[in-house]
């Protein structure tokens, strides 16, 4: 079974090309081919997962073939599969399959339907390649291809200026982080002499890599994760990425692409474990991200952007767990979050598909019109908030416990972010589905989505309810995904039960407060927003992060203008055009000198030689009398000179 795992990304790559080239002749305009491959991939991942937890697989599994060599360095092309890989495979294939099924209804009638499914398959292939790659060079290539697919899908409706801008913003922002990733990757190669993941992990485990070098490389690599997983301060691209279709938001920006940064940190966790500074950097970045994103969601009225801020916040939680030493907790939250956040985005897409607006101020009263969407959204919200026994309760509390074991201040930041999460999800739930309709025209038009859209919602809702409990039973997930190395710091003993009880209580109270305010006392939030307008304005402006980076863009524009003027007026006009002018003038002088001096000298030499030859020819007539005459003249001259002397 494991020997054929390499087929997973290759088949998705192939079907992307087939859909793009022949989609209009395929059943469902290519959707059927994409869904069939996604279903096969999920089946293979599910079988691997089942066998892995049963102990029937010899892990880790690694096989590779030579790719190319540079000097003594041999690059390979192959697969590396362990428990972490299998867990990620299940997440990617499951969410990809359900999103592609859901998209049949959501994207019906779109003129670029075929292209959409080709992009989805290409993205899935990129994520699968990233997941199973045995070396960091191919990992980085797939990492960049994921970014390209994100750009294509965010800007899928590129005729909308906002969508085109969002696609560019996402691409440029993530590339800023990827610059650090590339430098970190080269630094890691310099320290280890290899790109192979298994060799890097082995060298890290035996302490071959100096801690200072490991920490520097890990932090540089983490910059790539900051961009890809929308961590502070490079989180500015993800809320705008909601301009893409809702299924895209569910697939790329809730479950898989943004989780790639978290997966990278987990994949190289042995390197991070060599440096407490690197782990603290990851933890505090995650904590700050969780808090800032959650606070921004409190004042947002765009339903998809609320979920986008929530995604950023939960990604911060995952980084917080990993950085605090909770390797299993961070990956556990990645797994459960994939299901309930994909559910929430698809449910939001169902609402938007019905009312044709993202603004929650134009919604309300939809629970009776869209009962399946409402119930599934409610279940997803409860899972996200961490209400027991939903999935988020098990994974989020594990992250909080890890944070408390590492540093009480980390835990405090995470706990406040959790309380904010409960509040803004209650706010979104009430404003969207409860109360009186705010726009009767939109309300009258609203209707439940077709089964092809509600079916994936129900399946994801089931996963959101049971996945946390199921994976925590008998420590299934911990046995599958476990870090066997040694952490560079000592963790305090923490009662997980006490953390869960406290977090659950706070979540219930905060969610209850949000529901009560927005359902029974809607005037209070409006009054508070007016009273604290500067704070609300700061949150609406995303703490000025967009303006901050746009100033850098403006500075870059001005710098480019200066460089353009310098290039045009100095480099082009003086250095290049001036040199050409000088060269042309010198060539004219050289030509005159060549014509009038060199050629004249050569011609004069020829003329002298010719004249001398003519004179010499006079003495070579062949007539004896002439020769006797010359002799007589010569004798006479010499005789005269002798007598004169």
């Amino acid at each position: 079974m494991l020997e054929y795992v390499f087929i997973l990304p290759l088949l998705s790559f192939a079907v992307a090309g087939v859909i793009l080239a022949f989609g209009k002749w395929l059943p469902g305009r290519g959707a059927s081919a994409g869904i069939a491959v996604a279903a096969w991939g999920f089946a293979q991942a599910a079988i691997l997962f089942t066998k892995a937890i049963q102990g029937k697989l010899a892990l880790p599994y690694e096989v590779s073939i030579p790719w190319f060599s540079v000097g003594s360095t041999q690059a390979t092309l192959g697969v590396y599969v362990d428990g972490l890989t299998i867990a990620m495979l299940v997440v990617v294939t499951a969410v990809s399959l359900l999103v592609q099924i859901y998209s049949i209804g959501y994207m019906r009638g779109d003129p670029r339907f075929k292209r959409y499914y080709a992009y989805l398959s290409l993205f899935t292939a990129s994520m699968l390649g990233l997941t199973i790659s045995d070396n960091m060079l191919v990992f980085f290539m797939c990492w960049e291809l994921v970014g390209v697919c994100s750009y294509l899908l965010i800007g899928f409706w590129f005729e909308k200026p906002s969508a085109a801008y969002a696609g560019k913003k996402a691409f440029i922002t993530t590339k800023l982080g990827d610059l650090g990733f590339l430098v970190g990757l080269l630094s890691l190669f310099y320290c280890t002499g290899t790109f192979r993941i298994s060799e890097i992990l082995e060298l890290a485990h035996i302490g071959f890599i100096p801690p200072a070098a490991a920490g520097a490389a890990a932090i540089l690599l983490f910059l790539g994760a900051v961009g890809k997983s929308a961590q502070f301060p490079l989180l500015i691209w993800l809320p705008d990425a909601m301009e893409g279709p809702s299924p895209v938001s569910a697939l790329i920006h809730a479950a898989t692409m943004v989780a790639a940064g978290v997966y990278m940190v987990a994949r190289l966790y042995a390197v991070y474990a060599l440096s407490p500074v690197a782990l603290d950097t990851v933890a505090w970045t995650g904590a700050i991200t969780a808090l800032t994103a959650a606070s921004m969601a409190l004042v947002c009225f765009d339903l998809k952007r609320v979920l986008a801020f929530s995604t950023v916040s939960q990604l911060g939680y995952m980084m917080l767990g990993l950085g605090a030493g909770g390797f299993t907790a961070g990956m556990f939250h990645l797994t459960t979050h994939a299901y309930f956040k994909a559910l929430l985005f698809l449910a939001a897409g169902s609402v938007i598909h019905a009312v044709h607006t993202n603004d929650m101020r134009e919604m309300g009263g939809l629970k009776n019109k869209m009962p399946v969407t409402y119930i599934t959204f409610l279940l997803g919200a409860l899972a996200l908030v961490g209400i027991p026994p939903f999935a988020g309760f098990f994974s989020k509390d594990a992250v909080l416990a890890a944070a408390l074991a590492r540093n009480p201040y980390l835990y405090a930041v995470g706990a406040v972010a959790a309380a904010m999460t409960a509040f803004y999800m209650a706010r979104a739930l009430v404003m969207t589905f409860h109360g009186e309709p705010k726009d009767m025209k939109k309300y009258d038009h609203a209707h439940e989505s077709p089964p092809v859209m509600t079916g994936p919602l129900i399946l994801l809702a089931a996963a959101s309810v049971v996945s946390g409990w199921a994976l925590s039973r008998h420590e299934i997930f911990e046995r599958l995904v476990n870090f066997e190395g040694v952490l560079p710091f000592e963790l305090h003993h923490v009662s997980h039960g006490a953390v869960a009880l406290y977090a659950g209580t706070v979540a219930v109270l905060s969610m209850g407060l949000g529901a009560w305010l927005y359902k029974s006392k809607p005037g209070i939030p409006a009054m508070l927003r007016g009273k604290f307008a500067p704070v609300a304005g700061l949150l609406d402006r995303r703490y000025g992060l967009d303006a901050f980076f746009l100033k850098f863009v403006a500075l870059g524009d001005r710098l480019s203008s200066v460089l353009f003027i310098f290039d045009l007026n100095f480099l082009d006009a003086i250095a290049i055009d001036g040199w050409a002018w000088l060269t042309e003038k010198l060539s004219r002088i050289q030509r005159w000198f060549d014509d009038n001096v060199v050629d004249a000298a050569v011609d004069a030499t020829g003329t002298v030689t010719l004249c001398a030859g003519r004179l010499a020819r006079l003495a070579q007539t062949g007539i004896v009398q002439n020769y006797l005459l010359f002799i007589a003249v010569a004798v006479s001259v010499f005789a005269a000179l002798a007598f004169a002397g």
Side-chain angles (χ1 to χ4, degrees), residues 259-593:
V262 180
Y263 178 73
M264 185 275 295
V265 174
R267 179 79 285 166
L268 298 176
Y269 201 68
V271 177
Y272 282 84
L274 293 174
S275 172
V277 174
L279 285 178
D280 284 342
T281 300
V282 173
W284 279 107
T285 301
I288 294 170
T289 302
L291 184 63
T292 53
S295 63
M296 288 187 277
L298 293 173
V299 299
C300 184
F301 290 107
D302 185 308
L303 179 58
K304 283 178 65 176
R305 277 185 170 80
V306 170
L307 299 179
F309 286 125
S310 174
T311 297
V312 175
S313 183
Q314 298 308 305
L315 291 167
Y317 261 98
M318 298 170 205
M319 291 297 189
L320 170 60
L322 291 174
F327 176 83
T328 304
M331 290 307 300
F332 191 19
H333 195 52
L334 182 153
T335 303
T336 59
H337 173 265
Y339 301 124
F340 58 71
K341 188 51 65 65
L343 167 63
L344 288 169
F345 267 111
L346 294 184
S350 178
V351 172
I352 295 166
H353 187 262
V355 298
H356 302 291
T357 182
N358 292 19
D359 195 333
M360 295 187 294
R361 291 169 294 187
E362 299 177 11
M363 301 178 187
L366 294 175
K367 69 172 184 176
N368 296 324
K369 283 263 189 173
M370 309 178 70
V372 176
T373 300
Y374 167 66
I375 293 172
T376 53
F377 189 95
L378 173 62
L379 294 175
L382 294 173
L384 171 60
V385 170
I387 303 296
F390 297 93
F393 168 75
F394 295 91
S395 59
K396 181 183 284 188
D397 288 352
V399 170
L400 289 174
L404 182 58
R406 176 70 181 104
N407 187 324
Y409 295 107
L410 283 173
Y411 169 77
V413 175
V416 173
M420 290 181 176
T421 301
F423 186 87
Y424 69 67
M425 285 310 300
R427 172 179 179 265
L429 187 69
V430 170
M431 292 186 69
T432 304
F433 294 101
H434 290 269
E436 296 298 324
K438 281 88 171 177
D439 188 317
M440 288 305 301
K441 184 177 180 180
K442 289 181 170 58
Y443 177 79
D444 292 337
H445 181 269
H447 55 82
E448 186 59 272
S449 298
V452 74
M453 294 172 66
T454 56
L457 293 181
I458 294 170
L459 293 175
L460 285 169
S464 300
V465 173
V466 304
S467 60
W469 170 80
L471 292 175
S472 62
R473 288 183 72 244
H474 309 299
E475 298 180 337
I476 289 176
F477 194 83
E478 186 172 354
R479 287 189 286 108
L480 177 67
V481 179
N482 188 32
F483 176 62
E484 298 178 353
V486 178
L487 293 171
F489 43 69
E490 184 178 351
L491 298 176
H492 305 292
H493 174 71
V494 170
S495 171
H496 285 223
V499 171
L501 178 62
Y502 176 77
T505 302
V506 170
V508 170
L509 293 176
S510 185
M511 195 171 191
L513 176 63
W516 176 73
L517 283 175
Y518 281 90
K519 187 174 183 180
S520 303
K521 303 289 183 180
I524 295 178
M527 180 270 293
L528 291 174
R529 188 182 182 94
K531 189 173 182 179
F532 296 98
V535 177
L538 181 64
L539 296 178
D540 277 332
R541 295 192 304 273
R542 305 175 192 177
Y543 291 98
L545 290 173
D546 274 39
F548 176 76
F549 282 105
L550 285 174
K551 285 182 178 179
F552 274 101
V553 173
L555 180 62
D557 289 342
R558 286 195 291 270
L559 179 60
S560 65
S561 298
V562 172
L563 292 176
F564 172 76
I565 294 171
F566 176 77
D567 178 71
L568 183 65
N569 296 302
F570 178 76
L571 293 180
D572 283 353
I574 298 177
I576 297 175
D577 295 342
W579 182 257
W581 177 86
L582 180 62
T583 303
E584 193 264 342
K585 295 302 180 184
L586 289 175
S587 67
R588 288 180 181 273
I589 294 172
Q590 183 183 17
R591 179 180 177 182
W592 180 89
F593 183 80

Side-chain angles (χ1 to χ4, degrees), residues 33-123:
I35 292 171
V37 169
W40 182 85
F42 173 67
Q44 301 308 303
I47 292 171
L48 289 175
F49 179 81
T50 303
K51 289 186 175 182
I53 63 176
Q54 292 174 347
K56 296 181 179 180
L57 293 179
L59 298 176
Y61 170 81
E62 183 179 16
V63 63
S64 61
I65 58 174
W67 187 17
F68 67 87
S69 60
V70 177
S72 60
T73 302
Q74 176 70 55
T76 61
L77 201 60
V79 299
Y80 180 80
V81 181
D82 59 2
L84 180 64
T85 306
I86 292 173
M88 193 68 179
L89 283 177
V90 173
V91 169
V92 173
T93 55
V95 175
S96 175
L97 172 61
L98 294 176
V99 165
Q100 292 199 47
I101 294 172
Y102 176 95
S103 296
I104 293 175
Y106 192 90
M107 298 298 291
R108 180 178 284 117
D110 192 283
R112 293 188 289 272
F113 186 87
K114 175 191 75 171
R115 187 187 302 180
Y116 173 81
Y117 269 90
Y119 289 167
L120 286 185
S121 295
L122 181 61
F123 170 79

Side-chain angles (χ1 to χ4, degrees), residues 225-232 234-238 258 289 312 315-316:
V226 168
K228 195 73 75 181
S229 293
Q231 299 295 288
F232 184 89
L234 298 183
L235 53 83
I236 57 172
W237 68 269
L238 187 55
V258 291
T289 302
V312 175
L315 291 167

